[in-house]
């Protein structure tokens, strides 16, 4: 807000709990726990820009269609093991077990990640998944997610891409932040993990509890059950 004010922007609006003084022209207050897209949309409305008629507020993106990684019409599941901070991630061993268990049901599993995560995606894919770590642009990743029967992800950006393209999500969600505010928005999803773990609402970036219990207890079989529920049995 200060940078915008110094740049001469004539009207500045923001969500602000603390008194902003002269930094803001519109101080908007929204309770915590409301989904973040709705908080942002309410700020836009408070600034004078409500949704146009006929817009239901769902996430929408333009994505690039990509060839199916399995060839033909064979279905596949995307597993994205990486997150921006360690506290939100399942361990590589648990993710590898999840890939192996999904593959054992006859589904093809595609493992995705950024170029910096190629060692992780290679390990997680192992001999049972298709490793596409570092091989997709953001638009291609969105297209890959759009073609998937289901996506298995933590609290990370690609989870919101999957929600935006309407792909069912198995959310391996660490409770360091509220699921209601930061979980996948307005799409079919199933949350796994201990929502009442001691790290709840700490906003920790490194897990503050030995053994990372909130996600370590996720059983690969439970992931398969959630995929069956969301996407149908193969």
């Amino acid at each position: 807000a200060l940078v915008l004010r110094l740049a001469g922007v004539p009207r500045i609006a923001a969500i602000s709990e603390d008194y902003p003084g002269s930094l803001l022209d519109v101080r908007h207050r929204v309770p915590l726990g409301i989904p973040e897209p709705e908080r942002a949309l309410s700020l836009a409305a408070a600034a004078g820009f409500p949704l146009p008629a006929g817009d239901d507020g769902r996430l929408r993106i333009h994505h690039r269609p990509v060839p199916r990684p399995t060839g033909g019409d064979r279905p596949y599941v995307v597993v994205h093991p990486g997150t921006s901070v360690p506290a939100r991630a399942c361990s590589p061993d648990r993710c590898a077990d999840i890939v192996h268990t999904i593959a054992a049901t006859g589904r093809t599993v595609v493992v995705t990640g950024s170029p910096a995560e190629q060692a992780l995606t290679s390990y997680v894919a192992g001999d049972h998944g298709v490793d596409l770590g570092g091989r997709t642009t953001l638009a291609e990743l969105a297209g890959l997610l759009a073609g998937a029967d289901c996506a298995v992800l933590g609290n990370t950006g690609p989870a919101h891409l999957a929600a935006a393209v309407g792909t069912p999500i198995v959310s391996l969600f660490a409770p360091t932040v509220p699921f209601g505010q930061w979980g996948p928005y307005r799409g079919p999803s199933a949350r796994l993990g201990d929502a009442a773990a001691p790290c709840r609402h700490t906003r920790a970036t490194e897990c503050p509890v030995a053994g990372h219990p909130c996600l370590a207890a996720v059983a690969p079989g439970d992931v398969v059950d959630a995929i069956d529920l969301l996407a149908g049995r193969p």
Side-chain angles (χ1 to χ4, degrees):
L2 176 60
V3 171
L4 291 169
R5 186 65 75 203
L6 292 173
V9 174
R11 191 163 183 265
I12 303 168
I15 295 173
S16 176
E17 287 300 316
D18 297 320
Y19 177 64
S22 61
L23 289 175
L24 299 180
D25 300 293
V26 178
R27 177 196 183 189
H28 187 51
R29 302 182 74 178
V30 188
L32 294 175
I34 294 173
E36 196 63 17
E38 293 181 10
R39 284 167 52 88
L41 288 170
S42 74
L43 172 61
F49 298 91
L51 286 171
D55 190 330
D56 65 3
R58 291 182 182 273
L59 300 176
R60 291 184 181 88
I61 59 169
H62 295 289
H63 62 272
R64 180 176 303 168
V66 297
R68 296 181 74 84
T70 55
D73 295 327
R74 183 177 172 83
Y76 63 93
V77 171
V78 171
V79 173
H80 189 91
T83 58
S84 59
V85 297
R88 298 179 185 175
C90 268
S91 72
D93 287 341
R94 181 51 49 94
C95 290
D97 289 342
I98 288 171
V99 169
H100 187 185
T101 305
I102 297 172
T105 68
R107 294 179 171 97
T108 296
V109 185
V110 178
V111 182
T112 58
S114 70
E117 294 170 332
Q118 286 180 298
L120 172 64
T121 61
S122 175
Y123 178 80
V124 169
D127 297 328
H128 307 286
V130 179
D131 178 18
L132 292 185
R135 301 178 192 178
T136 61
T137 65
L138 190 61
E140 289 168 342
L141 176 60
L144 187 69
L145 289 165
D149 277 9
C150 195
V152 181
L153 321 92
N155 180 15
T156 185
H160 304 296
L161 279 182
V165 298
T167 299
I169 296 167
V170 178
S171 179
L172 310 178
F173 196 92
T176 52
V177 294
F179 181 78
Q181 184 169 340
W182 296 102
Y185 183 61
R186 293 182 67 176
S189 66
R191 178 186 183 177
L192 297 180
D194 183 1
C199 64
R200 184 173 182 266
H201 295 182
T202 61
R203 303 188 68 88
T205 56
E206 297 282 347
C207 182
V209 185
H212 203 16
C214 67
L215 296 178
V218 173
D222 290 342
V223 175
V224 169
D225 288 345
I227 294 171
D228 287 342
L229 176 67
L230 293 169
R233 295 184 181 276

